[in-house]
Amino acid sequence: MKLESYVGGQWRAGDGHARAFINPTTGEALGEVVDGGFDIAEALNFAREKGTTALSSMSFAERGNLLRGIADVLTANREKYGEIARLNSGNTAGDAAIDIDGGIATLKVYARYGKTLGDAHALMEPGQDQLAKEPVFFARHVWTTRPGVALQINAFNFPSWGLWEKVSTALLSGVASVAKPASATAWLSHEMVRDVIAADILPAGALSLVCGSGAGLADHLGAMDSLAFTGSADTGLKLRSGERLLESGARVTIEADSVNATILGPDAAPGTAVFDLAVREAVKALTVKAGQLCTNIRRILVPAQHRAAFEEAVAAKLDQIVVGDPALETVRMGPLVDLKQRDAALRGIEALKSEASVIRGGDIGQAEGADAQKGAFLLPTLLRCDDPGGARIVHETEVFGPCATVMAYEHADDAVRLAAKGGGSLAVSLFSDDVAVQAQMVAGLAPWHGRLLVIDEMVWKNHTGHSIVMPQCVHGGPGRAGGGEELGGLRGLRFHMQRSAIQGSPGLFEALQSDAVEANL
Ligand code: NAP
């Protein structure tokens, strides 16, 4: 199997360097991703001139219908995607659901936004400002579609969700997408895009897919284009500092790696519901998708007096986790995505061990129904750092796998300071049943985090989890996390639309309103 790119309205075979993608459970090769086979500038031009032109002439409601159509095609083929996720990503059924159903759900949420926005083509912010003494000259802020293309480069861990969450906001804004999945797991993105293209529901150029190297793609962007990148901080830095990209003036958003924390509140003693909920969330962090989520918990901050009880509770649950072939019903955790990632995770654990000791895991271990040496397996790994205030590596190293470090704190303020030592993160969670503590800690944590999940006994049955990105909420974090922002309901459209201050007379605004809908972005 060789994956092709879909550009310029055609499937094209690559003609350059080939890279194998594997089944991480067995280590066997499944197929190849081949670089090149098309002209980048032409591919982007086609998307811009055909795709964006067609999409931007449609109303929000019509674009919403397209998103609904994509979701329906994917739903009809859901079973096949689960199988690909198991074979190529080592996903259990639960892991695959997060990626695949998460992608479909996001498309549906944006389809509904489209319906709500209706027949308009532009968005108008509520309210106007009077700019002169006479009430004849006003300003209003209006959002219009940028006539460019959205280049979307994704990480390997979400070949479905990463693809569709980016396409959802671009398409609803009226902008064509050129998506580039990570080579290790491009098969699922490829299959999904093939099904959507075959269903013939999108205008030509609205969706392109590049399988193979992403090198040089961003060099051909122009002033009205954008680059949304998800991946490692290193690649993000390389891309965002590219000379041609800087010169172009294209918009750039980066979702990079992040050393996220969870905090057991000072009041969350053993025996309380919030303590048990925090234990459950920590175990999920160490097992779901083999820990390969960008928002995942990497640091666990616990009150010093509860540290031992917390560690024991988590370790007892980890002892029951069966790692192995995700096809087996008894298996709770599959392998990492490939041997490169497994080895990178092992190296990361070694680095953490200079400041932390291993409580559980730390090596490859045994794999149920598979050869642990051939597959990309790694045991759920829990570490403890005894001097988190003086430590650096545990706050700065993201082990992209099933690994987290427990750290004790004395006072709520210390926990806030320790969380901030991550240098800016995508998500932090707090388990506390004391609203005053919650509010105080949220105020300190917020500037350093893109999303804060606060769990008390009231939300416990309803909360969506530390790592799950909801399309209604912004996804992205400051500093180390890349400084980007995606999704967030209608806020996600800002990246693909231009806000202009329109200054004029009331008559102009009345005329503009015939094709614009009021929306608060
Ligand atoms: P990566 O190695 O940085 O690759 C990310 C993407 O960039 C891949 O599609 C890769 O393509 C592409 N790429 C690499 N070099 C490029 C270049 N010179 N020009 C254009 N594209 C290039 O990251 P990864 O290993 O896939 O993902 C793991 C990392 O992503 C973790 O650190 C994780 O924290 C982060 N992540 C962040 C988020 C978030 O939302 N913040 C979400 C998921 C993952 P190839 O695969 O073909 O090399």
Side-chain angles (χ1 to χ4, degrees):
M1 178 176 28
K2 281 190 183 3
L3 304 186
E4 294 181 334
S5 293
Y6 185 73
V7 290
Q10 287 173 25
W11 286 100
R12 319 263 183 121
D15 58 6
H17 175 67
R19 274 175 288 177
F21 56 93
I22 67 158
N23 176 342
T25 304
T26 61
E28 286 161 1
L30 294 167
E32 283 182 338
V33 179
V34 187
D35 296 350
F38 62 92
D39 183 282
I40 297 174
E42 271 176 28
L44 293 172
N45 239 351
F46 184 85
R48 236 177 250 124
E49 286 177 9
K50 293 275 185 196
T52 299
T53 303
L55 289 174
S56 57
S57 71
M58 300 171 96
S59 67
F60 286 111
E62 288 169 325
R63 295 175 211 152
N65 283 339
L66 295 182
L67 292 173
R68 181 74 217 195
I70 297 175
D72 289 345
V73 171
L74 300 180
T75 304
N77 291 285
R78 170 65 178 82
E79 205 174 319
K80 173 176 66 171
Y81 305 143
E83 190 61 6
I84 294 175
R86 178 177 70 76
L87 285 173
N88 185 205
S89 290
N91 282 183
T92 62
D95 297 340
I98 296 176
D99 187 25
I100 299 167
D101 299 331
I104 295 172
T106 303
L107 285 161
K108 285 184 184 169
V109 167
Y110 276 91
R112 281 199 294 276
Y113 286 129
K115 198 171 177 187
T116 315
L117 295 175
D119 294 334
H121 292 80
L123 302 172
M124 214 174 222
E125 292 187 1
Q128 59 181 8
D129 293 289
Q130 187 172 327
L131 301 179
K133 250 189 180 171
E134 294 275 305
V136 292
F137 182 51
F138 292 88
R140 291 204 66 168
H141 287 82
V142 176
W143 292 85
T144 49
T145 299
R146 286 158 60 97
V149 60
L151 174 61
Q152 300 157 356
I153 300 183
N154 281 308
F156 72 80
N157 56 332
F158 281 108
S160 166
W161 178 80
L163 167 68
W164 299 118
E165 61 101 5
K166 288 187 173 66
V167 168
S168 292
T169 50
L171 199 150
L172 189 57
S173 305
V175 177
S177 298
V178 174
K180 144 78 186 119
S183 296
T185 56
W187 182 18
L188 179 57
S189 313
H190 181 269
E191 201 63 23
M192 289 178 142
V193 170
R194 250 193 200 281
D195 290 336
V196 169
I197 297 301
D200 201 19
I201 47 177
L202 296 179
L207 175 60
S208 307
L209 183 80
V210 173
C211 290
S213 166
L217 288 177
D219 292 344
H220 297 268
L221 296 179
M224 286 290 117
D225 300 332
S226 65
L227 166 67
F229 169 81
T230 299
S232 63
D234 288 351
T235 312
L237 178 65
K238 199 192 299 174
L239 281 173
R240 80 170 2 148
S241 53
E243 204 171 318
R244 290 208 203 155
L245 183 65
L246 288 170
E247 275 169 11
S248 72
R251 284 187 179 163
V252 178
T253 186
I254 305 272
E255 298 294 340
D257 52 22
S258 169
V259 192
N260 314 292
T262 189
I263 304 173
L264 187 68
D267 57 304
T272 62
V274 277
F275 181 91
D276 294 342
L277 290 167
V279 169
R280 192 192 300 174
E281 207 61 24
V283 173
K284 274 192 335 199
L286 291 166
T287 50
V288 173
K289 279 180 79 59
Q292 299 163 112
L293 296 102
C294 55
T295 44
N296 212 6
I297 297 166
R298 307 289 172 200
R299 295 173 297 151
I300 305 171
L301 309 180
V302 295
Q305 69 273 29
H306 304 320
R307 183 187 55 71
F310 188 85
E311 282 174 9
E312 272 168 35
V314 175
K317 289 199 183 301
L318 291 183
D319 290 342
Q320 289 161 25
I321 301 292
V322 178
V323 178
D325 181 348
L328 301 176
E329 272 190 14
T330 48
V331 165
R332 273 279 301 278
M333 188 177 108
L336 274 69
V337 78
D338 58 24
L339 296 173
K340 193 175 126 208
Q341 289 301 323
R342 196 245 354 236
D343 292 345
L346 280 169
R347 281 196 303 279
I349 291 170
E350 275 314 301
L352 295 183
K353 277 160 71 176
S354 64
E355 292 179 345
S357 48
V358 175
I359 301 170
R360 284 292 185 280
D363 57 25
I364 291 169
Q366 301 295 315
E368 178 102 344
D371 182 339
Q373 298 302 321
K374 288 192 179 145
F377 295 98
L378 181 57
L379 290 174
T381 298
L382 186 67
L383 300 110
R384 176 198 312 130
C385 172
D386 288 324
D387 179 21
R392 183 181 62 82
I393 295 169
V394 290
H395 299 292
E396 295 180 2
T397 306
E398 183 209 43
V399 175
F400 205 59
C403 176
T405 305
V406 177
M407 309 172 190
Y409 70 85
E410 295 295 334
H411 305 290
D413 287 352
D414 300 332
V416 170
R417 266 193 296 276
L418 289 173
K421 284 189 88 170
S425 302
L426 294 168
V428 65
S429 50
L430 169 63
F431 293 79
S432 164
D433 215 27
D434 182 329
V435 182
V437 168
Q438 290 177 5
Q440 182 204 342
M441 293 181 79
V442 162
L445 292 165
W448 291 93
H449 297 88
R451 180 167 59 82
L452 289 82
L453 170 70
V454 183
I455 294 166
D456 55 25
E457 289 190 22
M458 187 171 226
V459 303
W460 76 278
K461 270 195 189 153
N462 295 286
H463 83 82
T464 44
H466 172 105
S467 298
I468 300 298
V469 175
M470 300 301 291
Q472 298 84 350
C473 301
V474 290
H475 171 54
R480 153 92 192 235
E485 213 178 76
E486 289 181 344
L487 297 172
L490 291 182
R491 295 172 194 86
L493 306 194
R494 290 194 294 207
F495 189 57
H496 304 287
M497 301 182 79
Q498 178 64 41
R499 174 163 47 190
S500 309
I502 313 278
Q503 301 170 299
S505 65
L508 167 65
F509 297 121
E510 229 169 85
L512 285 175
Q513 255 166 336
S514 65
D515 196 29
V517 57
E518 271 204 4
N520 211 341
L521 303 194

